[in-house]
Amino acid sequence: FSDSPLLSERKRRDREERLNIVLWKQPLVTLQYFFLETLINLKEWTIKLWHRRSILVSFLLTLAVLTATYYIEGTHQQYVRYMEKKFFWCAYWVGLGILSSVGLGTGLHTFLLYLGPHIASVTLAAYECNSVNFPEPPYPDQIICPDEETTEGSISLWAIISKVRLEACMWGAGTAIGELPPYFMARAARLSGAEPDDEEYQEFEEMLEHAETAQDFASRAKLAVQNLVQKVGFFGILACASIPNPLFDLAGITCGHFLVPFWTFFGATLIGKAVIKMHIQKLFVIITFSKHIVEQMVSLIGAIPSVGPSLQKPFQEYLEAQRIKLHHRADSGVPQGENWLSWMFEKLVIVMVCYFILSIINSMAQSYAKRLQQKMYSEEKTK
């Protein structure tokens, strides 16, 4: 018992030392540790693949058959091209969903950066074109109104929901997949008895220890999520996953810690995030960006004293430019002016992606530093 405070203090110092290994503080050390950790991970993955040779051979044979099918000419090529297009489209949104769960390294939602603007663009175009039958290509890269004549007001809310359902559900499925690491980490820690170096898991264990004496609102909210998931099971997880819930990481840790079956956790999370929650978010964006509400928002911006008219003008120009684009193809010679709103959005996306890459480098470097510290612990124990 006398060594326990000393051990806790040493772990705290080691954790602080690892957190200082970042590119803007120790660039050379961080890059060195990053490359060493990459080599160790490659070695571990190679060993795991060697132990699963039969699965790897089956995968390579399947890949060879698909490659041959892709390149051999025949009537099946139209189906191959269709499946290729759908596969990459779905993989793109699933990947963004996974990045959203891990926070893109900054906690900024990819829904705000990609899916929300996509749904908003489709909504504005649907009301402008009175149709969702945009010609493919250029859709989805660029939205152009179809050539057929349509009557004013013929577009329905359900038609817009159906148009963006695939990408919305794939994004939701990606967010469900992104919730698996906390579950597996807590499950492995419970089965092995090892203490993972994860702040959320340590906070969860502390919460369990002081559950009866918790007084503040945040602790009570976390405890309520933990009790709901633990006692209600599938439907408790479904309820937590079906609403915008910043505490859902705690649900994953809770399910892993109490050894909830994988398919119970993942099935409820997938249904909640990819079906129920996604339709709620999608409906909110579509209603917000419907034609009459957007016009009211622009008029309200103009009503702001002093700065209203100056703020209203770029929004009006941006909306008008988008309407012009919807009725002209890219090669029709219509000048494509750049608005400061779109310029700001593009630069924001670039900054977020760069920060995400930097966060990966820092995280892997800190993982290598943890390996060195654990090696030092084991050497001291053997002395």
Side-chain angles (χ1 to χ4, degrees):
F1 288 101
S2 61
D3 291 339
S4 182
L6 295 175
L7 184 61
S8 299
E9 178 64 21
R10 180 171 178 178
K11 286 184 176 181
R12 185 189 63 79
R13 289 200 307 268
D14 288 344
R15 191 178 298 112
E16 290 178 353
E17 182 181 334
R18 289 198 302 272
L19 292 176
N20 285 324
I21 301 177
V22 289
L23 281 169
W24 44 88
K25 290 184 179 179
Q26 304 180 53
L28 295 179
V29 173
T30 304
L31 288 174
Q32 179 188 3
Y33 283 8
F34 166 72
F35 286 118
L36 291 172
E37 180 68 13
T38 303
L39 292 175
I40 291 173
N41 287 332
L42 288 174
K43 180 183 176 182
E44 291 176 351
W45 293 340
T46 304
I47 294 172
K48 289 179 180 178
L49 286 175
W50 178 250
H51 289 313
R52 295 170 175 81
R53 301 188 287 279
S54 57
I55 299 176
L56 179 61
V57 171
S58 301
F59 174 76
L60 291 176
L61 287 174
T62 304
L63 185 63
V65 171
L66 291 176
T67 303
T69 306
Y70 182 82
Y71 285 104
I72 294 175
E73 296 295 333
T75 55
H76 65 282
Q77 282 297 320
Q78 56 178 330
Y79 304 106
V80 170
R81 301 302 178 196
Y82 175 80
M83 293 301 296
E84 177 191 19
K85 179 181 176 182
K86 288 296 181 183
F87 173 79
F88 283 111
W89 183 239
C90 292
Y92 173 75
W93 289 110
V94 169
L96 287 176
I98 294 172
L99 289 179
S100 181
S101 286
V102 301
L104 200 64
T106 63
L108 190 61
H109 228 272
T110 55
F111 183 89
L112 300 176
L113 289 174
Y114 294 96
L115 184 59
H118 173 71
I119 297 174
S121 299
V122 171
T123 303
L124 292 172
Y127 282 107
E128 177 67 21
C129 304
N130 294 310
S131 173
V132 292
N133 298 320
F134 311 124
E136 301 183 22
Y139 182 83
D141 296 325
Q142 184 183 359
I143 302 176
I144 301 295
C145 288
D147 294 331
E148 71 255 16
E149 294 291 333
T150 53
T151 57
E152 184 74 23
S154 60
I155 193 66
S156 67
L157 184 68
W158 183 254
I160 303 174
I161 290 175
S162 301
K163 185 67 176 178
V164 295
R165 180 177 288 120
L166 177 64
E167 43 267 52
C169 289
M170 289 298 105
W171 184 87
T175 61
I177 295 171
E179 299 293 351
L180 292 179
Y183 169 82
F184 284 122
M185 174 209 60
R187 184 181 178 88
R190 180 67 183 273
L191 292 174
S192 65
E195 181 185 350
D197 184 38
D198 184 86
E199 291 182 2
E200 288 184 345
Y201 187 75
Q202 291 172 358
E203 183 182 350
F204 168 76
E205 289 194 323
E206 290 175 2
M207 185 191 70
L208 292 181
E209 292 177 4
H210 305 94
E212 296 181 358
T213 59
Q215 296 294 330
D216 58 295
F217 175 77
S219 298
R220 289 185 176 183
K222 292 176 181 179
L223 193 61
V225 170
Q226 183 255 324
N227 289 331
L228 180 66
V229 170
Q230 183 184 355
K231 295 178 180 178
V232 184
F234 179 89
F235 293 102
I237 302 168
L238 183 65
C240 290
S242 299
I243 57 174
N245 186 359
L247 302 176
F248 192 78
D249 277 349
L250 190 63
I253 294 174
T254 301
C255 292
H257 181 80
F258 291 104
L259 304 181
V260 172
F262 170 77
W263 286 111
T264 300
F265 169 72
F266 185 65
T269 305
L270 186 64
I271 295 171
K273 286 185 172 289
V275 180
I276 301 174
K277 179 186 172 185
M278 200 59 256
H279 274 81
I280 295 172
Q281 290 178 298
K282 182 168 53 175
L283 195 61
F284 174 78
V285 174
I286 292 173
I287 292 174
T288 303
F289 284 88
S290 59
K291 187 175 182 179
H292 63 284
I293 292 181
V294 169
E295 292 173 351
Q296 289 177 1
M297 288 171 60
V298 173
S299 63
L300 287 174
I301 291 173
I304 299 175
S306 303
V307 296
S310 58
L311 288 175
Q312 186 185 40
K313 185 178 179 182
F315 280 97
Q316 288 177 331
E317 291 176 350
Y318 179 76
L319 292 173
E320 186 61 31
Q322 296 307 307
R323 291 193 182 101
I324 293 173
K325 287 181 182 180
L326 292 173
H327 295 282
H328 296 83
R329 297 192 176 275
D331 56 355
S332 61
V334 177
Q336 304 289 324
E338 187 177 32
N339 185 274
W340 67 270
L341 288 174
S342 58
W343 183 88
M344 286 286 293
F345 178 76
E346 290 174 2
K347 299 303 178 284
L348 178 65
V349 170
I350 293 172
V351 170
M352 292 301 104
V353 172
C354 291
Y355 192 85
F356 176 61
I357 295 172
L358 292 178
S359 68
I360 291 177
I361 295 174
N362 292 336
S363 177
M364 293 185 67
Q366 291 167 10
S367 296
Y368 184 78
K370 183 182 178 183
R371 290 180 189 271
L372 295 179
Q373 291 170 352
Q374 289 176 338
K375 184 179 178 181
M376 190 180 300
Y377 285 148
S378 61
E379 289 177 351
E380 289 176 358
K381 287 180 181 180
T382 55
K383 288 181 180 180

